[in-house]
Amino acid sequence: HFGGIRSPPRVMNDRPLTLLDARQALGSYATNFDSALNQAVERIHTQGTWPGLTKEVDLTDEIVDGILTLPDPYDIMLAVQLNGAPRNIFPLAVEYSHAGPGNREAGVGGGDFVDLGLQAIGDEDDGYEFRRQYKVLFDISGDDTVTGLLKRGFKYITQDDDYIYPGNIGALKNALLAINYEDEADNARAEAYWKACFDILNQTTSQIRNGTQTTATFRVFGLGASKPTCFF
C-alpha cells in the first residue's frame, strides 16, 4: 500500500526536470517507475495545455506546396499569425458544411488555415511518421512570416536526460499515486489523487497568467461576417 499523502522531496536545481531528477525525487511512489511516469505524463498532456507545453515557433520554412507540416515534437497549432496578424484555423469539416465555403485550394483560398489532422509522412521504404498538417489558403511569398503557437505532443520518456513537460514535482507525485491506485482498482482514491494533480497544475497556470490581460474573440460564422472583440 502507498500510505497517506506525503510531501515530495525537493529538487534543488534551476534546470528543467529530467527523468533522472524525477526518479531520484519520486522513485518511491511507483514500483515500475518509468512505466508509471509515462502513463502519468501522457494523461496530463491530454487533459490540458499546461505551462511548459506551448511554444511560439517560426513555421515559415515548414510550408511546402501550400501545406504546413508541424515540426517534431509538436502535435497541434493552437493559434497562428501571418506577419504578426492573427489568422483563423478552421476544421476541414467547414468545407463540407452547407453553410461553409466548400472546397478551397491551397494558395488561392484566402488568408486562413485549414486543419487537415494527422497525416502519414514518409514512404514505405523509410517508414512513416504521423504529423499534423494544415492547408495554407494564401499564396505565401518570400517576405511573409508565419508564426504559430504550438502545443508539445507527448513523447515516451526513456533516457535519463529526457525532459519532462510539465515538470511539476507535486503534480507528478499525485499523478503517480493515481496510477498506482488505478492498478489496484481503487478508483475512488485514484480520482482523488488525479484531482490533486490537476488542482496543482491549475494553480500554476493561474499564477503564470496573473496580471496578464486576456482577450476573448467572439467568432461570428458566415462569409463576410465581422468578428467583434471583447477585452476584459
Side-chain angles (χ1 to χ4, degrees):
H1 229 11
F2 306 103
I5 298 178
R6 296 174 286 169
S7 298
R10 296 179 64 190
V11 178
M12 301 301 293
N13 57 61
D14 295 326
R15 60 186 172 83
L17 190 72
T18 65
L19 175 57
L20 179 61
D21 295 330
R23 193 185 297 117
Q24 291 175 339
L26 301 171
S28 62
Y29 289 88
T31 301
N32 189 346
F33 180 79
D34 287 18
S35 175
L37 180 75
N38 275 281
Q39 292 179 62
V41 174
E42 183 179 24
R43 185 85 62 87
I44 288 171
H45 272 240
T46 63
Q47 294 298 314
T49 303
W50 314 109
L53 293 188
T54 60
K55 186 175 181 181
E56 189 178 47
V57 179
D58 186 340
L59 299 171
T60 311
D61 293 338
E62 308 296 337
I63 300 174
V64 178
D65 295 331
I67 300 296
L68 166 61
T69 302
L70 291 191
D72 186 63
Y74 303 101
D75 69 351
I76 194 167
M77 183 163 63
L78 303 173
V80 64
Q81 295 178 345
L82 171 63
N83 300 326
R87 294 292 183 174
N88 294 317
I89 303 173
F90 291 103
L92 182 60
V94 169
E95 295 187 354
Y96 289 85
S97 169
H98 288 293
N103 183 67
R104 290 169 290 178
E105 296 294 330
V108 295
D112 297 319
F113 295 74
V114 177
D115 187 347
L116 301 176
L118 289 177
Q119 303 292 324
I121 308 298
D123 54 50
E124 186 174 355
D125 293 333
D126 297 329
Y128 295 96
E129 60 177 328
F130 288 89
R131 298 279 188 89
R132 200 173 200 94
Q133 291 189 324
Y134 297 81
K135 181 164 56 175
V136 182
L137 297 181
F138 55 90
D139 184 16
I140 189 168
S141 71
D143 295 328
D144 290 327
T145 300
V146 174
T147 307
L149 182 63
L150 308 186
K151 180 181 177 182
R152 180 181 296 274
F154 171 75
K155 298 290 184 182
Y156 203 85
I157 306 161
T158 59
Q159 303 299 316
D160 283 352
D161 58 354
D162 284 349
Y163 292 129
I164 299 172
Y165 301 94
N168 186 301
I169 288 286
L172 291 172
K173 179 204 74 171
N174 283 284
L176 287 170
L177 290 170
I179 294 293
N180 288 333
Y181 283 117
E182 285 180 349
D183 291 343
E184 290 189 347
D186 190 340
N187 293 330
R189 287 189 179 181
E191 184 177 347
Y193 280 108
W194 278 123
K195 182 180 183 303
C197 167
F198 292 118
D199 282 348
I200 291 172
L201 291 172
N202 281 320
Q203 286 178 345
T204 303
T205 303
S206 296
Q207 290 172 1
I208 290 175
R209 290 177 178 170
N210 187 34
T212 62
Q213 181 178 3
T214 303
T215 301
T217 299
F218 297 89
R219 180 171 297 171
V220 179
F221 292 96
L223 296 179
S226 61
K227 298 185 300 177
T229 301
C230 176
F231 298 92
F232 62 91

